[in-house]
Amino acid sequence: MALSLQFLLRSLLCNSVIRTTLFSYLSLNLLLLFLLGYLTIRDSTAGITKEVTDSGYKVMEQAALGFGFNLEEAKRPLVQLAGNYSVISLMNPTLEIGYAQRIQHERNISDLAYGVSNFQSLISDILILGKNGYINNLDGRKSLKWDYRFSEQPWFKAAVDAKSNRGFITLGLHKQNYYLENIYSKYNQTALSIAIPVKDYYGKTIGAAIANLDLKKINRQFELSSYQNNESIFMVDDNQTIIVHKDEDSIGKRLDFSGIERIYRSDSGSFVSRFDGVEQLVIFHSTSEKGLHLISTVPMSVIRSQADPLRANLIGTLYLCLCLNALISIIITVRISRPIGKLLHTLDNMGEDSLYVISKNYKYSELNLIGEKFKELVGRTQLLVKQNFLSTIAMKEAELKSLQSQINPHFLFNTLQALQTEIVCGNTDDSNRLVLSLGGLLRYSMKQSAELVPLERELQNVKDYLFIMNIKYDNRIEVQYDIPNPAVLHYRTVKLTLQPIVENAIIHGFLENPEENARIRIRLLQVSKGAMVEVEDTGCGMSRESKRRLVERLRNPEASPESIGLSNVNQRIQLKFGSGYGIRIRSRPGLYTRIYVILPKSEGEGDAVSE
């Protein structure tokens, strides 16, 4: 034990493998822990932001629907007034009306206005204004200034514009300075107005019915829909003018901040911007009334503060993990250094007189000592290792990948599920063929993986596989076979050449979700070298960069040892037949991908052609 501790201390003080391993392990784990913490906090903040955004969309949609519903309710009395016989009669400048008739018309309008006053909560008042100077409202002109010049106001001119053929017109904001000064709730207050022209029986505009909407009531509706107390919902028009806001001083002001143009480019969305000196999440939604948009803002500081408990817990966890990591590193280092110290001590005692060693600096003290004792032995065996074992290792790896590319439990489970479905639905023919196809795949996969098989047997294996996959995808894959010369079916190839290519087309070409026009075409042709198998799919294709990377993996399979698809097939063909054979690729994005397999002419049993 003392010898081991002495060796550990000596290793930590010098430039040793143990010290480098310990510090590298600690540094890497520390970096990973901080990276994990950063990503966790970032993702949690992003998740909370998304939750607030999704909730905001729902709130905004609900607020827009509520505003649209109340606005439609407010338009009904305008339609009634604009089409009322008494209103048209009193506004008609060409119609002479007696005193008694005028009184009766006024009573009719008063009765209609009484119903509007009692049942329309969103309407503050309705002005009934004619070009001939006729003036009325819901309280029978009691609250209006009789000498006010309504006909000179821009909003009245917009309401009776003869060039406009629209029905309802949004007049925007204006000051209600036409009320008596003792009407405190309305006098000089800002109002949002909508109007409908009043036309005579010849279609000529003779006046307008104008509804002033109560902005406070609209704002209360928005406040009831708010996500939280820090959220503000307000309304702007196409000129970026604030129409409705909980702060009355902000009504009528122009809203301007970075990114506001997005509000007018789409019906709804969200983005982060900075205005009023605060970074805010902005969510917007259009309303049913053209030119009016709802905006909701939530300070990003409020959203980030919701992640503070997670941040505090995460920091505590990181400190704990750091301490545990340091303790585990020391334990592992002690356990590793003990056998290394014993090994070096043993080698030093037995190799002094038995080996001739040329000294060489390996940078680390442990490796220098091991290198001095075993350099001559390594030199003698290096050539044998390369010649006798490298090719065997390559073949074993290829065989292992071949076994890995055979039927996996996930595919078998899906097939059995499909079989159960067909049986339950009473599809006897399909279920029988499904059993036969699965049986064929299983028998084929259990044979010796290194044997050569006829292309006809490979093609049958692919047919069984595609039948099972078409059952899974409701026969959305059209399969075509083109074999001009049947003699090519007797050519031989390594086992499991075609099925991984077809599987690759379904997974990467159709993204495991083939469309109705999905097609796979398999062609077997005789060429000058022997045989060529073409597998074409009408999937998403590959970009030039993706194709370049795939070709690079085919040329250098060691660069991606996890691949058991095309790289595996290409490697096994070239190991068996030579580098002149294997896989070629053509593809156009969005149109097709074609995989060509070049094989030699080999018809005899176990026949192989090598270059």
Side-chain angles (χ1 to χ4, degrees):
M1 183 67 182
L3 183 62
S4 299
L5 291 176
Q6 183 181 3
F7 172 74
L8 175 60
L9 292 175
R10 188 170 66 250
S11 299
L12 293 176
L13 293 176
C14 64
N15 188 20
S16 64
V17 173
I18 292 177
R19 188 181 74 168
T20 302
T21 302
L22 175 62
F23 290 162
S24 299
Y25 180 80
L26 283 173
S27 301
L28 179 61
N29 279 270
L30 183 63
L31 177 63
L32 291 176
L33 285 173
F34 280 110
L35 181 61
L36 176 64
Y38 168 75
L39 293 176
T40 302
I41 294 175
R42 186 197 67 178
D43 293 344
S44 63
T45 303
I48 294 173
T49 303
K50 185 179 183 303
E51 179 184 348
V52 173
T53 303
D54 292 342
S55 176
Y57 280 142
K58 295 178 182 178
V59 168
M60 297 290 281
E61 185 176 5
Q62 186 179 20
L65 289 175
F67 175 73
F69 175 78
N70 288 323
L71 195 61
E72 290 299 320
E73 289 294 317
K75 290 178 179 180
R76 292 182 182 179
L78 292 183
V79 175
Q80 295 175 353
L81 288 169
N84 186 267
Y85 173 75
S86 296
V87 173
I88 296 173
S89 298
L90 292 175
M91 288 186 182
N92 196 332
T94 62
L95 186 63
E96 295 183 1
I97 302 175
Y99 183 75
Q101 288 180 313
R102 179 176 293 275
I103 292 176
Q104 184 60 44
H105 287 318
E106 292 286 357
R107 288 177 179 174
N108 293 338
I109 296 174
S110 177
D111 292 340
L112 186 58
Y114 177 79
V116 175
S117 301
N118 284 277
F119 298 106
Q120 292 295 332
S121 60
L122 195 61
I123 294 178
S124 172
D125 196 4
I126 294 181
L127 302 177
I128 307 169
L129 307 176
K131 285 184 175 182
N132 61 352
Y134 177 75
I135 301 172
N136 205 343
N137 69 338
L138 294 182
D139 62 3
R141 297 183 292 271
K142 295 176 182 178
S143 58
L144 297 176
K145 295 179 180 179
W146 285 52
D147 57 347
Y148 189 82
R149 300 181 180 274
F150 288 95
S151 60
E152 297 178 0
Q153 304 306 313
W155 47 269
F156 175 74
K157 294 178 181 180
V160 297
D161 184 7
K163 298 179 181 179
S164 175
N165 293 321
R166 295 175 295 172
F168 290 96
I169 303 171
T170 302
L171 301 180
L173 298 176
H174 70 270
K175 288 289 186 178
Q176 302 179 96
N177 53 1
Y178 39 79
Y179 287 104
L180 298 175
E181 295 182 3
N182 60 349
I183 309 299
Y184 303 111
S185 62
K186 297 179 182 179
Y187 175 70
N188 214 29
Q189 297 294 318
T190 303
L192 171 65
S193 300
I194 57 174
I196 185 172
V198 178
K199 298 183 179 182
D200 61 13
Y201 302 110
Y202 300 101
K204 182 179 178 182
T205 302
I206 58 176
I210 303 173
N212 293 336
L213 304 182
D214 192 330
L215 297 182
K216 293 182 179 180
K217 292 181 178 179
I218 297 176
N219 184 63
R220 278 198 294 271
Q221 290 180 353
F222 293 165
E223 289 180 346
L224 291 175
S225 302
S226 296
Y227 172 75
Q228 53 188 3
N229 293 333
N230 295 290
E231 181 180 19
S232 297
I233 299 179
F234 50 94
M235 181 184 295
V236 298
D237 61 11
D238 283 340
N239 297 320
Q240 299 179 212
T241 302
I242 299 176
I243 303 297
V244 179
H245 198 284
K246 62 182 179 182
D247 182 9
E248 295 184 6
D249 294 335
S250 298
I251 296 176
K253 293 182 179 180
R254 192 172 186 273
L255 186 66
D256 190 14
F257 57 86
S258 175
I260 193 172
E261 65 277 358
R262 301 184 189 180
I263 297 173
Y264 303 100
R265 290 203 299 256
S266 58
D267 292 337
S268 62
S270 63
F271 58 93
V272 177
S273 183
R274 192 175 191 87
F275 63 95
D276 292 339
V278 180
E279 187 180 25
Q280 310 236 21
L281 172 64
V282 180
I283 307 170
F284 60 91
H285 197 289
S286 61
T287 66
S288 58
E289 190 67 20
K290 185 178 180 181
L292 298 181
H293 308 267
L294 288 178
I295 298 178
S296 168
T297 60
V298 180
M300 288 300 297
S301 59
V302 174
I303 297 175
R304 295 190 182 102
S305 66
Q306 297 183 20
D308 287 344
L310 176 63
R311 187 180 294 109
N313 293 334
L314 184 61
I315 291 175
T317 304
L318 288 177
Y319 282 135
L320 178 61
C321 290
L322 183 60
C323 296
L324 291 176
N325 187 50
L327 179 61
I328 293 173
S329 300
I330 294 174
I331 294 174
I332 292 175
T333 303
V334 171
R335 292 178 63 87
I336 292 176
S337 64
R338 185 183 303 171
I340 292 178
K342 291 181 181 179
L343 175 62
L344 293 176
H345 182 72
T346 302
L347 293 176
D348 187 49
N349 290 335
M350 78 170 189
E352 290 181 352
D353 300 324
S354 58
L355 293 176
Y356 175 76
V357 180
I358 299 176
S359 178
K360 187 175 181 181
N361 184 13
Y362 286 94
K363 185 177 180 181
Y364 297 112
S365 59
E366 299 90 348
L367 293 181
N368 283 332
L369 184 58
I370 295 174
E372 289 174 358
K373 304 300 180 181
F374 285 96
K375 182 174 179 59
E376 185 178 4
L377 179 61
V378 170
R380 293 173 182 174
T381 58
Q382 185 176 8
L383 183 61
L384 291 176
V385 169
K386 289 183 177 179
Q387 292 177 345
N388 297 329
F389 295 107
L390 290 182
S391 60
T392 303
I393 291 172
M395 287 295 296
K396 291 297 182 182
E397 288 179 349
E399 290 176 6
L400 176 60
K401 291 181 178 180
S402 174
L403 291 175
Q404 289 175 331
S405 66
Q406 295 174 8
I407 296 176
N408 57 64
H410 183 66
F411 172 80
L412 183 60
F413 175 74
N414 288 340
T415 305
L416 292 176
Q417 272 197 327
L419 177 60
Q420 180 189 22
T421 302
E422 295 299 326
I423 293 174
V424 170
C425 295
N427 298 331
T428 307
D429 293 337
D430 287 345
S431 59
N432 287 338
R433 186 176 174 189
L434 193 59
V435 171
L436 293 175
S437 297
L438 179 60
L441 287 175
L442 292 173
R443 284 193 301 272
Y444 190 65
S445 66
M446 287 187 293
K447 290 185 179 181
Q448 181 64 31
S449 61
E451 65 179 350
L452 292 176
V453 296
L455 278 174
E456 183 179 17
R457 186 64 189 89
E458 269 291 294
L459 188 62
Q460 181 59 45
N461 185 61
V462 168
K463 289 180 178 179
D464 292 338
Y465 176 78
L466 282 173
F467 176 78
I468 293 174
M469 297 308 292
N470 250 335
I471 290 293
K472 176 182 178 181
Y473 296 121
D474 298 327
N475 291 309
R476 294 198 302 269
I477 303 176
E478 178 187 357
V479 183
Q480 298 177 357
Y481 301 94
D482 185 7
I483 309 173
N485 188 354
V488 76
L489 293 173
H490 301 293
Y491 287 14
R492 308 183 73 80
T493 182
V494 294
K495 183 182 170 185
L496 288 174
T497 298
L498 302 183
Q499 185 267 334
I501 298 175
V502 174
E503 182 180 3
N504 188 76
I506 294 175
I507 294 175
H508 301 290
F510 300 136
L511 304 178
E512 298 190 78
N513 185 23
E515 303 291 344
E516 291 295 333
N517 59 349
R519 185 181 75 248
I520 292 178
R521 184 179 67 172
I522 301 175
R523 301 178 66 199
L524 276 65
L525 304 172
Q526 281 187 320
V527 294
S528 59
K529 275 194 163 188
M532 182 181 73
V533 181
E534 174 187 329
V535 179
E536 178 187 19
D537 68 81
T538 59
C540 61
M542 288 184 289
S543 64
R544 183 174 299 177
E545 178 62 21
S546 299
K547 178 185 173 184
R548 185 193 65 77
R549 289 197 300 268
L550 179 56
V551 171
E552 182 64 26
R553 286 199 296 269
L554 293 179
R555 293 175 181 172
N556 185 21
E558 288 80 8
S560 56
E562 74 282 356
S563 173
I564 57 172
L566 298 182
S567 299
N568 174 29
V569 173
N570 186 65
Q571 185 184 24
R572 289 189 291 125
I573 291 175
Q574 292 186 348
L575 285 172
K576 195 67 179 177
F577 301 119
S579 59
Y581 302 95
I583 289 177
R584 311 290 186 267
I585 300 172
R586 287 183 182 177
S587 181
R588 290 189 63 183
L591 294 178
Y592 65 84
T593 296
R594 294 187 186 130
I595 306 297
Y596 301 94
V597 183
I598 311 300
L599 299 170
K601 182 178 181 181
S602 55
E603 297 179 335
E605 182 68 31
D607 206 5
V609 176
S610 299
E611 291 187 354

